[in-house]
Amino acid sequence: DDVLIMAAIERAGAQLVSCTENIDESPQGKLLHGIMASMAEFYSQNLATEAKKGLHEKAKRGGTPGPAPVGYLNSTSRVEGVETKTVVVDDERAHHIVWAFQSYATGLWSLSELTEELERRGLKSRPTARYVGSPLTRSQVHRLLSNRYYLGKVTYGGAIYDGRHQALV
């Protein structure tokens, strides 16, 4: 990748010059540029690995890595100056989720019928700063009914853990 960038710079008839580092077209400058690029790539890959490790640890402890699914809300509270992130039941949407599981379990509802009824009942996804909540699609309802999170479980990296959140089902 770096070699391609350098080749493109050369083809354009330009030179790479750094104001902060001794990077130029000399062999020493090219070596320094290569070392710095390798260090930056290592830093990025190491940061990604550490972030994934942190999310896996959070899931092991029953925490929710990422946004909470429909029917729950991500919440932040302060206790003695310490910020704690938790997941709480969304009172506006949770009863729709419970109804959906109970109704689908009867075997009397198809997935399409259930999706239409949830829309009729007013279940919408959570609105965000840039997104207006909308009715769930059939595939979203299918994922919802397949999600162990509603049973009080957290799935991450192929492993299933007991969650600290309240189960809706």
Side-chain angles (χ1 to χ4, degrees):
D1 297 334
D2 226 24
V3 174
L4 294 175
I5 293 170
M6 293 304 291
I9 291 171
E10 284 180 29
R11 275 195 310 276
Q15 277 188 337
L16 176 65
V17 178
S18 172
C19 297
T20 57
E21 305 295 337
N22 190 17
I23 297 176
D24 55 24
E25 295 301 312
S26 70
Q28 296 88 349
K30 289 180 179 180
L31 175 63
L32 182 59
H33 181 259
I35 290 170
M36 291 178 72
S38 293
M39 289 173 61
E41 186 176 345
F42 165 78
Y43 176 78
S44 177
Q45 289 177 352
N46 188 54
L47 188 60
T49 299
E50 292 300 316
K52 287 176 187 172
K53 197 173 4 175
L55 290 173
H56 200 88
E57 284 301 314
K58 183 176 187 175
K60 276 185 180 178
R61 292 189 312 269
T64 304
V70 176
Y72 292 96
L73 296 171
N74 291 87
S75 175
T76 304
S77 61
R78 278 195 180 281
V79 178
E80 296 180 17
V82 177
E83 189 176 275
T84 305
K85 294 183 179 186
T86 59
V87 172
V88 296
V89 172
D90 180 353
D91 294 330
E92 187 179 325
R93 292 172 185 81
H95 66 280
H96 293 298
I97 305 301
V98 173
W99 176 86
F101 272 94
Q102 290 172 343
S103 299
Y104 195 66
T106 66
L108 302 175
W109 293 81
S110 72
L111 199 53
S112 297
E113 292 168 334
L114 192 68
T115 302
E116 289 172 13
E117 182 62 18
L118 286 170
E119 181 177 355
R120 192 191 69 69
R121 289 170 165 259
L123 176 63
K124 292 185 176 185
S125 59
R126 277 188 316 274
T128 63
R130 291 186 283 161
Y131 174 75
V132 178
S134 60
L136 302 183
T137 64
R138 185 178 184 277
S139 63
Q140 287 172 316
V141 172
H142 180 265
R143 278 194 307 273
L144 182 149
L145 293 170
S146 306
N147 192 342
R148 291 185 176 102
Y149 195 87
Y150 297 103
L151 302 171
K153 303 292 182 185
V154 175
T155 304
Y156 190 78
I160 302 169
Y161 306 101
D162 291 330
R164 290 189 311 236
H165 62 282
Q166 177 183 336
L168 292 182
V169 181

